[in-house]
Amino acid sequence: MSISLGIFIAVFGISTFINYKQTSAETIETYEGLQKTALNSSFLTINITMNIEANQQLNNLANLLSSIDRYDYIAQRRTLLNLARFIGSPLVFVVYENDGKLISQSAKDKESSLKNSDDGNAFDFRQREWYQQAKTNKKLIVSDPYESKAAGYEGVVVSTIAMPIYDNGTFIGVIAANVIPAEFQSRFDKLKLKELPSLKVFLVDSKGGIFVHENLKDSNKNEFDTLGAQILAQSKSNPNGRVDTLFMGHDKVIFYQTMPFGWVIATEANKSDFVEVIHKSLISSLSIAFLLIIVGGVALLFIIRHFFKPLSLMQNGLNAFFDFVNHKTKIQPKPLPIKSNDEFGYICKSINENIERTKSNLAQDENTILQSTKTAEQIQNGNLTARITQKPSKPAISRAKKCAK
């Protein structure tokens, strides 16, 4: 019985371990799937803003400006103002190739304050990196973040989306709009998951600098730049991938995607989030397994006792029978009280039949022996006609009976 119980516990333990390993793998796959889903959602929202919609809006603006007289400043400023208000940009502007002058409008500007001239800056904006990139690439570009010097936005980190303007196939300038990347954090916050409390979404520029992250501060910028450089370096050979690294004192799982305009967007999560869920699953599995082992052990013990009870009854019945046959007791054994229709019932029925037959034979032999004794006494007393009439069951007694005739 103890062996059966041991086998049951061993099999159950192995099954629990296999189930734990399978659950662990499925948990990791599920949580990595959640992290990748957050990454895909983040990629989509940033790509729509910085690439798809920006391309459409700036292309429409470029077509409008190319149709407006170069020195009709009011018409140009009104067009810039309408776009700035529509997209909520801190600054929408145009720089022309012939003189490098800037004409800009902010979403905060009033139409009544539009002036009939350029901005009057002495700086040649044709030297700006975003201008050179748009001119060289001949398509929409997105600059790395930098500190703005525009009035009302001094010191604010912005990124410039720029597109070249053509008039009858001739390059005439660059139209651009500034975006404040820090505002993307509010979008990323909406992607938080209670299942992954450490989940963070962040952006890496084309030089490897992290410029949007919930925990980014001046005091830890170097640590963030190290991580950004690691991700950027890997993205050169694998545009979309995974990085496992130690960051901010935690083992991190980072998934990233390279955006069409050179940035890299990524999600990070602590491996401890996965491990904690797996540990909880393990504790839950062990608790259930322990409970089932107890319940199963008790049930198995009950079943074993139930099925082996007929053997115990047969053993007791046979012992009583053999004690009676060997004259250890004069109490006649009772039939085995088993009436089932299974194998045990068949065996007990056969045993009971043989017990009854043996009891009958013993009684028959005992009566024969008793009559033989009385017959012998009668013969001793002179009654030579006395005979043994009882029929014994044992052959040896039958032979003795024949000899006594």
Side-chain angles (χ1 to χ4, degrees):
M1 187 178 298
S2 59
I3 295 177
S4 300
L5 188 59
I7 293 174
F8 169 78
I9 294 174
V11 171
F12 202 90
I14 293 172
S15 175
T16 301
F17 175 77
I18 294 174
N19 180 67
Y20 164 70
K21 296 298 289 185
Q22 183 177 358
T23 301
S24 299
E26 291 175 351
T27 299
I28 292 174
E29 183 179 357
T30 298
Y31 274 68
E32 288 182 354
L34 291 174
Q35 191 175 343
K36 290 177 182 178
T37 299
L39 175 61
N40 292 336
S41 299
S42 304
F43 179 95
L44 183 62
T45 183
I46 300 303
N47 191 53
I48 288 175
T49 298
M50 302 298 290
N51 184 28
I52 299 174
E53 288 186 348
N55 204 326
Q56 180 181 1
Q57 297 298 336
L58 289 183
N59 188 59
N60 291 337
L61 182 59
N63 291 333
L64 287 173
L65 289 177
S66 64
S67 64
I68 297 175
D69 184 86
R70 164 69 179 80
Y71 297 101
D72 188 348
Y73 294 107
I74 296 298
Q76 292 180 75
R77 288 186 178 279
R78 186 177 293 111
T79 302
L80 296 173
L81 178 61
N82 288 337
L83 179 60
R85 288 176 175 176
F86 181 76
I87 64 176
S89 173
L91 200 69
V92 176
F93 48 95
V94 61
V95 176
Y96 287 101
E97 175 72 5
N98 63 342
D99 58 9
K101 296 298 183 180
L102 177 73
I103 304 174
S104 65
Q105 292 296 147
S106 168
K108 298 178 181 179
D109 294 337
K110 296 180 180 180
E111 190 167 353
S112 59
S113 64
L114 300 179
K115 62 180 182 178
N116 193 22
S117 66
D118 60 46
D119 285 12
N121 305 86
F123 182 80
D124 186 352
F125 284 90
R126 291 173 295 184
Q127 306 305 314
R128 290 293 192 192
E129 184 178 5
W130 47 262
Y131 187 96
Q132 294 295 326
Q133 288 179 345
K135 180 180 179 180
T136 301
N137 295 327
K138 298 180 181 181
K139 64 178 182 179
L140 180 138
I141 64 95
V142 177
S143 76
D144 286 336
Y146 62 93
E147 288 189 2
S148 173
K149 296 181 180 179
Y153 293 93
E154 296 89 344
V156 177
V157 176
V158 298
S159 178
T160 298
I161 308 171
M163 175 181 285
I165 310 174
Y166 294 92
D167 185 12
N168 294 323
T170 302
F171 174 75
I172 63 173
V174 171
I175 180 71
N178 282 349
V179 175
I180 302 175
E183 295 178 350
F184 295 149
Q185 185 59 54
S186 61
R187 303 185 190 183
F188 299 157
D189 290 341
K190 295 177 181 179
L191 298 173
K192 289 183 176 294
L193 301 168
K194 64 179 181 179
E195 294 86 356
L196 277 173
S198 64
L199 178 67
K200 304 287 189 301
V201 183
F202 61 94
L203 288 167
V204 184
D205 64 29
S206 64
K207 296 181 177 65
I210 295 178
F211 59 95
V212 176
H213 190 290
E214 181 180 329
N215 298 329
L216 179 62
K217 300 176 184 177
D218 291 337
S219 59
N220 59 18
K221 192 175 187 307
N222 289 336
E223 190 172 2
F224 275 90
D225 286 344
T226 300
L227 176 63
Q230 181 182 359
I231 294 172
L232 182 65
Q234 183 167 319
S235 70
K236 297 299 183 182
S237 58
N238 186 11
N240 305 316
R242 167 179 176 154
V243 175
D244 292 88
T245 187
L246 181 65
F247 178 64
M248 302 289 284
H250 296 280
D251 288 322
K252 297 285 187 178
V253 176
I254 298 173
F255 291 99
Y256 67 86
Q257 290 186 39
T258 302
M259 308 204 75
F261 44 85
W263 291 358
V264 178
I265 190 166
T267 57
E268 62 158 280
N270 295 342
K271 286 185 179 179
S272 58
D273 287 353
F274 302 5
V275 174
E276 184 178 352
V277 174
I278 293 172
H279 284 173
K280 287 182 179 179
S281 175
L282 173 61
I283 293 173
S284 176
S285 296
L286 289 177
S287 299
I288 295 174
F290 183 71
L291 179 62
L292 290 177
I293 286 175
I294 293 176
V295 174
V298 172
L300 181 62
L301 188 62
F302 174 79
I303 292 171
I304 290 174
R305 287 185 175 179
H306 174 75
F307 280 103
F308 280 89
K309 185 178 180 181
L311 291 179
S312 177
L313 294 174
M314 283 191 288
Q315 181 181 2
N316 294 334
L318 289 173
N319 287 337
F321 171 69
F322 289 126
D323 286 344
F324 175 74
V325 170
N326 295 320
H327 306 289
K328 291 182 179 181
T329 179
K330 292 183 179 181
I331 301 174
Q332 293 188 0
K334 296 179 180 180
L336 301 180
I338 298 178
K339 298 180 180 179
S340 61
N341 294 321
D342 55 10
E343 290 82 356
F344 287 120
Y346 177 79
I347 293 172
C348 290
K349 180 180 179 182
S350 179
I351 291 174
N352 285 337
E353 290 175 352
N354 281 279
I355 287 175
E356 291 300 321
R357 188 180 299 112
T358 302
K359 285 165 59 177
S360 175
N361 291 339
L362 288 174
Q364 186 177 346
D365 291 341
E366 186 177 350
N367 290 334
T368 300
I369 293 171
L370 181 61
Q371 188 181 42
S372 298
T373 302
K374 291 181 178 181
T375 301
E377 289 176 353
Q378 291 177 8
I379 292 172
Q380 286 179 356
N381 293 327
N383 184 8
L384 299 177
T385 62
R387 295 290 184 270
I388 301 173
T389 59
Q390 291 287 340
K391 293 182 179 180
S393 63
K394 290 183 178 181
I397 298 177
S398 295
R399 288 193 297 269
K401 175 185 174 183
K402 290 178 181 180
C403 294
K405 287 184 178 181

